[in-house]
Amino acid sequence: MVTKTAPFVVADIGGTNARFGLVVGKDGDRYEIVAQERFPSGDFADMQALVAHYLALVAGHAPKHVCLAVAGPVGGDQVHLTNLGWHFSISELKESLGLEQLEVINDFVAYANSIPLLPAEAVVQVRSGQAVETAPIAVLGPGTGLGVACLVPSGKGWNAIGCEGGHIALGAATERQRQVLNVLAQQLDFVSAEKVLSGSGLPNLYRAVATLRGETPRDLSAADISELALDGEPTCFETLSLFCEWLGGVASDIALAQGARGGLYLGGGILPRFLEFFLKSDFVKGFTQKGVMTGYLSEIPVFLAIETHSALTGAAAWLDSHKV
C-alpha cells in the first residue's frame, strides 16, 4: 500500500549523525524506507545544506513532503538544535527547499512514535514485568545527548509527547555516586543527567572516576571508554558500570514522573554497542531500588530497542498521520 503523500523524506538529525530515508510505501504497520543514508551532521554548515544534499540524491523521486526529527526542543516556527548550535525557521526552510509540507518534530517524539510499530526482533527485554495497558510508556535513550519522551494511550492508539527530561539535575543514590557527583560539580557548571549519561557525557564521568582513583585522566572519547571497558581496563570498566547503574536510577525517576506503568523503552545509539555488558550491569538494580517506591517500580517491564532506524519509522508514522 502506498501512503497518500509517498514518496516522502524522513530524517533523524542528531548531534553526531543525520540519517535520511525515502518512504515509498506501507505494508500493515511497516513502512518501506529506501535510499537510506547517514551523514556526519558536522559536515554541513546548516540545516538547509544538509537537507538539500539528501534531496539532491533522491531528486528522481521528486519528494515534496519531508519530516525532520531533530535533537532539540520544537515549538513554533523557530528551531534550535541543542548539540549542533543550528538555528532555523521552519517556514523559511520549507520555502527555500520548494516543499509542499515540512514537519519538524523532536527526535525522541519520533522515536517514541516508532515504539508501537517495532517488530519483536527489534526489541530486547531487559527486565520482565506486568505492564498496565492503560498507563503511559516512558522512552529514554542515551545518544549524543539524553532523549526523553512519553507515550500516552488514547482511543486511537498512542500519542507521543516530547520533553527535555535529559536536562534534569543528576542526583546520587549511592555513596560512590555521591563521590563522583561532588567531583563533577567542581568540573561542570551544572550537572544534568545528559552531562553524564550520554555520548557527550561519558568522558565527563570517566574524568571524575579517574580523579577519584588518583589517576590523571586521559583524553578519551566515549567510544574509547566503552572499548577499553570491554577489554577490562579498570577505570573505564568502573566508568561504564557506573554509567549503566546511574542510567537505571534516572530511568526510574522518569518512570515515576510520567506514571509509566505501561513500561520503559530504552533507545539511543549507545547501549546496543555494548549490549552484553549492559544486560549484565547493575542497570536493573539502579532502576528498582527506590525506597518507598520500590514496590511501584517492581512490575514495570523494561525493553531496549536495537533497530537503528526507529526514528525514521516514527517520523514516517508522524507525517503519514499529519498529511496536508
Side-chain angles (χ1 to χ4, degrees):
M1 182 181 73
V2 177
T3 64
K4 181 181 177 182
T5 53
F8 59 83
V9 169
V10 291
D12 172 21
I13 301 171
T16 303
N17 293 304
R19 294 176 173 83
F20 283 80
L22 184 72
V23 181
V24 295
K26 182 181 180 184
D27 183 8
D29 287 336
R30 298 289 292 172
Y31 288 90
E32 185 180 357
I33 305 176
V34 302
Q36 294 189 37
E37 298 284 350
R38 182 176 70 175
F39 314 110
S41 303
D43 284 359
F44 298 85
D46 52 32
M47 184 63 76
Q48 179 170 333
L50 172 60
V51 180
H53 177 74
Y54 181 77
L55 289 176
L57 296 178
V58 295
H61 296 273
K64 293 296 182 181
H65 301 258
V66 174
C67 182
L68 306 177
V70 302
V74 178
D77 183 63
Q78 301 294 319
V79 179
H80 178 74
L81 272 66
T82 309
N83 290 312
L84 278 172
W86 290 356
H87 181 272
F88 65 95
S89 160
I90 298 175
S91 58
E92 291 178 4
L93 183 62
K94 174 187 172 184
E95 182 177 359
S96 66
L97 294 173
L99 301 173
E100 294 180 16
Q101 181 180 12
L102 174 61
E103 298 285 340
V104 180
I105 61 178
N106 176 265
D107 59 342
F108 248 69
V109 167
Y111 181 75
N113 217 36
S114 75
I115 294 299
L117 306 177
L118 292 177
E121 62 270 19
V123 178
V124 174
Q125 187 162 42
V126 177
R127 177 176 185 268
S128 61
Q130 185 61 50
V132 177
E133 293 184 0
T134 57
I137 293 173
V139 186
L140 176 74
T144 302
L146 181 63
V148 180
C150 184
L151 281 172
V152 179
S154 70
K156 297 181 180 180
W158 298 90
N159 291 325
I161 300 174
C163 69
E164 292 302 314
H167 297 283
I168 60 175
L170 184 64
T174 67
E175 179 58 31
R176 190 57 167 174
Q177 289 179 7
R178 281 186 281 273
Q179 293 171 356
V180 172
L181 193 57
N182 285 335
V183 176
L184 288 165
Q186 297 170 22
Q187 299 174 345
L188 304 171
D189 56 347
F190 176 72
V191 187
S192 67
E194 181 173 281
K195 288 291 184 68
V196 177
L197 304 175
S198 65
S200 59
L202 190 56
N204 294 329
L205 181 57
Y206 161 75
R207 284 190 289 270
V209 171
T211 299
L212 284 171
R213 294 172 68 99
E215 302 173 6
T216 300
R218 291 183 282 170
D219 185 17
L220 300 177
S221 67
D224 294 333
I225 295 164
S226 300
E227 183 176 346
L228 287 168
L230 297 182
D231 287 340
E233 195 282 325
T235 302
C236 290
F237 185 90
E238 182 184 357
T239 298
L240 199 60
S241 298
L242 190 57
F243 177 96
C244 296
E245 179 190 43
W246 221 330
L247 181 66
V250 170
S252 63
D253 287 343
I254 297 298
L256 288 172
Q258 295 182 353
R261 301 184 73 179
L264 169 76
Y265 278 79
L266 298 163
I270 292 181
L271 300 180
R273 297 178 185 176
F274 49 89
L275 177 60
E276 185 176 351
F277 184 101
F278 174 71
L279 293 176
K280 292 179 179 179
S281 75
D282 282 338
F283 171 86
V284 171
K285 178 181 177 181
F287 182 81
T288 54
Q289 293 189 354
K290 219 64 177 181
V292 295
M293 286 289 102
T294 298
Y296 182 95
L297 293 162
S298 64
E299 289 299 320
I300 296 179
V302 180
F303 305 92
L304 171 61
I306 57 175
E307 187 171 282
T308 58
H309 62 272
S310 296
L312 296 184
T313 298
W318 178 275
L319 186 56
D320 204 20
S321 63
H322 291 75
K323 302 182 186 77
V324 296

